[in-house]
């Protein structure tokens, strides 16, 4: 594995930690706004990843996907579930739904913010445009169409680009109807979802990437066309 590949994977892991922390903090913030202080009292309304880390979902599985062969560009992860006490809500069904949706929506917001950052870089200077091109090619493991040193803004553009595709993946992945993902909370009234147990984890790893890719690939292709019209 080349040094560039290792750096790229570390970038992806750092962005994943931030995205998962933002996701869980959004659950906690929304629950607090709707009258349930449980997560806020436990210090979960924070971007500090230490408060949200799940050893398996935040560390072991993501690092295995990054550094073991066979996973390609697919990367998933999850954090420690945000505790919610539904009886504290005024309207339990509505408020629980809003609290659940706050997580995936937060990832879509991060993806949009990252895309806006890329467009600003691309349109404000020639160096910024070269940085965006280099980031898109590097993140997609394509040979760079340029020689010499990378532009100074390349690391920023790379972080933004990873922020787009990784947050799109997390938004879609978390809507899968598998516990403990957000999609299962939306379908909580179907009791068998809570009984899937370890089978749910197996499904996430084996078929989760294929399902998520059905939704994320068209969106990411549209982003690539926006940033690189000649592709």
């Amino acid at each position: 594995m080349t040094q560039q590949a290792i750096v790229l994977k570390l970038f992806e892991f750092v962005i994943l930690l931030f995205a998962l922390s933002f996701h869980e903090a959004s659950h906690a913030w929304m629950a607090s706004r709707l009258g349930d202080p449980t997560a806020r009292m436990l210090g979960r309304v924070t971007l500090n990843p230490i408060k949200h880390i799940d050893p398996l979902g935040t560390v072991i599985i993501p690092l295995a996907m990054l550094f073991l062969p066979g996973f390609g560009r697919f990367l998933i992860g999850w954090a420690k579930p945000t505790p919610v006490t539904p009886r504290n809500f005024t309207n339990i069904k509505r408020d629980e739904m809003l609290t659940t949706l706050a997580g995936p929506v937060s990832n879509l917001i991060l993806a949009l913010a990252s895309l806006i950052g890329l467009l600003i870089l691309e349109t404000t200077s020639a160096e910024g445009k070269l940085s965006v091109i280099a980031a898109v090619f590097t993140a997609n493991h394509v040979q760079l169409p340029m020689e010499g040193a990378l532009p100074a803004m390349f690391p920023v553009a790379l972080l933004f680009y990873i922020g787009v595709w990784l947050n799109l993946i997390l938004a879609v992945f978390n809507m899968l109807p598998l516990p403990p993902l957000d999609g299962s909370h939306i379908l909580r009234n179907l009791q068998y979802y809570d009984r899937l147990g370890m089978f749910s984890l197996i499904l996430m790893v084996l078929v989760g990437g294929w399902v998520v890719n059905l939704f994320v690939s068209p969106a990411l292709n549209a982003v690539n066309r926006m940033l690189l019209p000649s592709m």
Side-chain angles (χ1 to χ4, degrees):
M1 185 178 296
T2 66
Q3 182 178 0
Q4 178 177 308
I6 293 174
V7 171
L8 178 60
K9 292 178 184 297
L10 292 176
F11 269 46
E12 292 173 2
F13 186 68
V14 169
I15 293 294
L16 178 68
L17 284 179
F18 176 76
L20 291 176
S21 299
F22 193 80
H23 180 107
E24 295 302 328
S26 297
H27 283 313
W29 177 84
M30 181 61 75
S32 179
R33 290 281 296 178
L34 295 173
D36 176 26
T38 307
R40 176 173 51 79
M41 293 172 64
L42 292 173
R44 299 294 299 276
V45 187
T46 177
L47 295 181
N48 181 359
I50 295 176
K51 291 288 187 178
H52 305 291
I53 283 178
D54 175 271
L56 180 64
T58 313
V59 181
I60 296 175
I61 286 181
L63 287 178
M65 287 186 159
L66 284 170
F67 290 99
L68 294 180
F71 290 101
R73 295 186 63 246
F74 181 61
L75 176 63
I76 60 169
W78 59 89
K80 187 167 53 176
T82 299
V84 174
T85 307
R87 66 174 179 271
N88 290 327
F89 292 140
T90 302
N91 185 321
I92 293 179
K93 286 187 177 181
R94 182 202 64 189
D95 295 347
E96 192 171 13
M97 180 76 73
L98 290 173
T99 300
T100 297
L101 290 174
V105 169
S106 73
N107 291 123
L108 291 177
I109 291 172
L110 286 179
L112 178 60
S114 297
L115 177 58
I116 291 172
L118 285 169
L119 293 173
I120 290 174
L121 279 178
E122 187 178 44
T123 56
T124 51
S125 68
E127 181 182 349
K129 185 172 184 176
L130 287 175
S131 298
V132 171
I133 293 172
V136 174
F137 276 76
T138 299
N140 286 283
H141 303 282
V142 177
Q143 183 66 37
L144 291 175
M146 62 185 72
E147 297 181 357
L150 292 170
M153 296 301 293
F154 168 73
V156 177
L158 184 59
L159 286 173
F160 279 147
Y161 187 78
I162 294 173
V164 171
W165 72 259
L166 186 51
N167 278 288
L168 287 176
I169 286 175
L170 290 176
V172 176
F173 174 70
N174 275 284
M175 290 306 295
L176 295 178
L178 297 171
L181 302 179
D182 296 328
S184 70
H185 292 286
I186 294 174
L187 298 174
R188 180 173 290 172
N189 57 313
L190 301 178
Q191 295 296 320
Y192 70 88
Y193 274 98
D194 293 327
R195 303 192 189 115
L196 287 175
M198 183 58 68
F199 185 61
S200 174
L201 175 61
I202 296 172
L203 287 174
M204 284 184 219
V205 176
L206 294 183
V207 303
W210 179 79
V211 175
V212 170
N213 194 54
L214 289 177
F215 296 92
V216 173
S217 288
L220 193 58
N221 288 336
V223 169
N224 289 341
R225 288 194 298 271
M226 186 183 304
L227 298 173
L228 304 174
S230 61
M231 287 185 68

